[in-house]
Amino acid sequence: MELRHLRCLVAIIDAGGFTDAAIDLGISQAAVSRTIASLEESLGVRLLHRTSRSVVPTTAGVQVLARARKVLAEADNLIREATTGHTRLRIGHAWSAMGRHTAEYQRRWAARHPGIELHLVRTNSATGGLAEGLCDLAVVRTAFDDARFASAVVGQERRYCAMAADDPWAARRAIPLADIRARTLLIDRRTGTTTADLWPPDARPVVEYTQDIDDWLTMIATGRSVGITPESTANQYRRDGIAFRRLRDAAPVAVHLIWRRHDPHPATHAAVDLLTDLYRQRT
């Protein structure tokens, strides 16, 4: 069975007969008849009731027709993805996207590259969906497989401490890294940038784990724990019940754009250059 068999079946039902289906498909009526006969033979069932006035699907035909429409839609989507890939750029991220630069990045991209539509795609994975094939590039702030992915550092972000809005620490302007040792630290095990390695082995805080930015924020809002995160989170996830304060004595987080080493999108370098420029312009 081939796609042409399914297209022929759908065309007959939609057109209401073999003659009009042949016109729509650009083939002869005899070819339409042979194609449907071949499909019925391969499936071992009759798909159409034919009379001098109409063509209607059999019970089996109704079932096959529904599946055929889905298969053809998927095939059309696949072709569309392959042929329009260079007119669309998908940039993935696990959280925060480009931080405070996100909106400006989208505006400038649209102005500079009107022929390439930009899509930001959030995927809760370490590579922001790149390893899963869900995007063309990804913004990452954690370690990645540099044998599989090429990359560029586009900027640096300071670390912030996240806490409940009514936490006593919320009255401070900054939090020393050493003070975190007295608190329970919440770490996003899957995509987070924080590890216990920020502290000496004998002076580490108690750690609890989560696997999603929304769960991380919800748990911090209870006041039972605090978190450490790049400043992009403070910009993208402002919400009631959460306060962010700058963390002192901690190294900044490098922001990378990564892409598949052997299959880069043609607009990769343009994407890197624009984001690098925005990070350089911070005041």
Side-chain angles (χ1 to χ4, degrees):
M1 180 169 41
E2 302 174 15
L3 289 178
R4 64 185 180 88
H5 294 112
L6 301 182
R7 292 193 189 281
C8 191
L9 174 64
V10 171
I12 291 171
I13 298 302
D14 289 350
F18 282 64
T19 300
D20 289 339
I23 295 172
D24 291 343
L25 294 170
I27 59 179
S28 68
Q29 183 174 334
V32 171
S33 296
R34 288 194 299 269
T35 301
I36 287 300
S38 175
L39 177 59
E40 290 178 327
E41 182 179 356
S42 66
L43 295 176
V45 294
R46 188 173 182 181
L47 300 175
L48 301 173
H49 283 305
R50 308 169 179 85
T51 70
S52 58
R53 295 184 177 181
S54 65
V55 177
V56 295
T58 63
T59 300
V62 170
Q63 296 176 341
V64 172
L65 180 64
R67 295 291 183 88
R69 292 190 189 278
K70 292 181 180 179
V71 169
L72 292 173
E74 287 296 324
D76 290 341
N77 287 338
L78 179 63
I79 294 170
R80 191 179 304 111
E81 290 283 340
T83 56
T84 65
H86 293 175
T87 62
R88 181 183 64 177
L89 178 65
R90 299 168 301 169
I91 299 183
H93 62 101
W95 40 266
S96 295
M98 295 92 169
R100 70 185 185 91
H101 305 298
T102 302
E104 184 64 19
Y105 189 94
Q106 292 172 301
R107 286 193 291 266
R108 293 194 188 188
W109 183 270
R112 296 183 186 183
H113 308 282
I116 304 176
E117 187 175 3
L118 176 67
H119 291 266
L120 299 184
V121 182
R122 183 186 165 201
T123 303
N124 190 36
S125 77
T127 62
L130 188 63
E132 295 80 7
L134 301 176
C135 56
D136 305 299
L137 296 92
V139 182
V140 298
R141 298 170 174 86
T142 56
F144 55 89
D145 183 355
D146 57 8
R148 183 177 181 186
F149 303 115
S151 68
V153 177
V154 295
Q156 302 277 336
E157 293 180 348
R158 295 174 296 182
R159 295 180 193 261
Y160 277 67
C161 180
M163 65 202 72
D166 59 357
D167 192 292
W169 283 6
R172 302 186 187 181
R173 295 184 62 183
I175 309 297
L177 182 63
D179 285 8
I180 304 295
R181 295 178 299 179
R183 303 292 297 268
T184 298
L185 179 67
L186 191 63
I187 292 178
D188 184 336
R189 190 195 300 270
R190 180 178 297 176
T191 64
T193 57
T194 303
T195 70
D197 293 335
L198 285 172
W199 297 268
D202 59 346
R204 291 174 174 171
V206 174
V207 171
E208 294 182 359
Y209 295 99
T210 185
Q211 296 190 18
D212 179 84
I213 181 67
D214 292 312
D215 290 341
W216 183 83
L217 290 166
T218 298
M219 292 177 67
I220 288 173
T222 67
R224 292 183 53 250
S225 54
V226 297
I228 294 176
T229 188
E231 62 186 281
S232 53
T233 307
N235 284 288
Q236 291 292 87
Y237 290 93
R238 296 182 183 275
R239 62 174 63 182
D240 292 340
I242 298 288
F244 294 94
R245 296 295 180 265
R246 186 170 55 83
L247 188 67
R248 295 208 305 260
D249 314 318
V253 175
V255 182
H256 290 82
L257 270 179
I258 65 173
W259 59 91
R260 287 178 289 275
R261 186 174 294 277
H262 302 296
D263 185 27
H265 190 284
T268 293
H269 292 301
V272 170
D273 290 345
L274 176 55
L275 191 52
T276 302
D277 286 345
L278 288 172
Y279 271 95
R280 283 175 180 165
Q281 292 171 15
R282 79 177 285 168
T283 57

